[in-house]
Amino acid sequence: MNNFTLNTPDYDIKQMVDVYEPSEDTFLFIDALEADLAFIQARKPTYMLEIGSGSGVITTALGSHLSLTCFTTDINIKACNATRNTGLLNKVQVEPVCMDLASHFRPFLFDILIFNPPYVVTDSEEIIGTGLSRAWAGGIDGREIIDKLLPQVKNILSESGIFYLLLLKENKPDEVVAILEKFGFQHKIIKEKKILGEYLYIVRFIKKQTSKP
């Protein structure tokens, strides 16, 4: 057990028009990062990336505690602006980039990758545009956006990088774990909780260490 505390950053509710507001899943994610801070610090991270940052409170919470170069992406330009503003309110430098997932960064850069994805089970047709619905609509099994990212994770992370992913029970977490195991990752559930009728998991993935001959 550690003595670290990650406080929820200040944010401006007026900036949250058409932006996913901090909610129970957000706070669970911050709690999970707090629980895992000793593990994170031991890996001496330098660069972090949050995909789908929304309000920016998750990145800002971690960036306020660790000396990190913080990047975020979001397909919603209003979310990028809200993220930048949350960083400024809390004196944390955050560099938001308006893009889908993480396609425009150089490989193997990030020591921490965070994704609180659109996980709600919906029809595929609901995954349209760049507005608020893109923050929650996950398509079939709530997995369509998650599954787009999974093959990219190995090339996004540095060798000692950590990937934190939020999953809903309906997302079939065992399948997600199996996919990432095929890409060379091992996992640990950091937090799990039933919230407003949803059962959520925060899962940590790291690359499996191969022994040298």
Side-chain angles (χ1 to χ4, degrees):
M1 188 170 180
N2 65 54
N3 297 316
F4 301 123
T5 301
L6 283 186
N7 296 318
T8 301
D10 294 330
Y11 58 93
D12 185 353
I13 194 68
K14 297 190 296 295
Q15 292 278 330
M16 301 301 154
V17 178
D18 295 326
V19 175
Y20 186 76
E21 293 182 25
S23 191
E24 293 297 326
D25 55 340
T26 316
F27 305 135
L28 179 65
F29 217 125
I30 292 173
D31 288 346
L33 293 173
E34 177 179 286
D36 220 31
L37 265 176
F39 182 86
I40 295 170
Q41 288 183 315
R43 294 199 160 214
K44 298 180 172 57
T46 302
Y47 293 97
M48 73 164 288
L49 171 65
E50 180 183 2
I51 295 173
S53 60
S55 65
V57 299
I58 296 175
T59 287
T60 302
L62 195 57
S64 66
H65 194 88
L66 301 177
S67 179
L68 292 166
T69 300
C70 301
F71 289 90
T72 65
T73 68
D74 203 295
I75 201 167
N76 180 354
I77 187 63
K78 293 180 181 179
C80 293
N81 293 335
T83 292
R84 180 180 285 107
N85 188 66
T86 299
L88 290 171
L89 281 175
N90 295 274
K91 298 180 171 58
V92 175
Q93 185 170 351
V94 182
E95 299 292 341
V97 183
C98 190
M99 72 165 76
D100 188 17
L101 300 180
S103 54
H104 300 318
F105 293 102
R106 68 176 173 85
F108 313 118
L109 175 62
F110 293 105
D111 306 303
I112 303 171
L113 176 63
I114 290 170
F115 194 25
N116 181 0
Y119 59 75
V120 176
V121 178
T122 67
D123 293 332
S124 297
E125 289 73 20
E126 294 193 48
I127 307 175
I128 57 172
T130 60
L132 182 58
S133 66
R134 288 299 303 271
W136 52 264
I140 297 169
D141 294 329
R143 283 263 302 280
E144 292 190 42
I145 307 302
I146 294 169
D147 286 348
K148 281 178 62 178
L149 179 69
L150 298 184
Q152 303 177 31
V153 172
K154 189 171 184 178
N155 292 330
I156 292 171
L157 285 180
S158 66
E159 198 56 38
S160 61
I162 315 167
F163 174 35
Y164 292 98
L165 176 65
L166 184 144
L167 293 169
L168 180 70
K169 191 172 185 179
E170 286 78 5
N171 299 151
K172 303 177 181 176
D174 289 347
E175 290 185 5
V176 174
V177 167
I179 291 169
L180 283 169
E181 282 182 346
K182 290 179 181 178
F183 289 123
F185 286 89
Q186 61 192 56
H187 82 286
K188 180 178 180 180
I189 296 173
I190 304 302
K191 286 280 184 181
E192 55 184 290
K193 189 174 183 180
K194 187 173 183 180
I195 296 172
L196 302 176
E198 299 179 335
Y199 201 94
L200 300 174
Y201 305 84
I202 309 292
V203 190
R204 176 228 287 163
F205 296 91
I206 59 172
K207 294 179 179 179
K208 294 177 183 176
Q209 299 301 310
T210 56
S211 56
K212 296 180 180 181

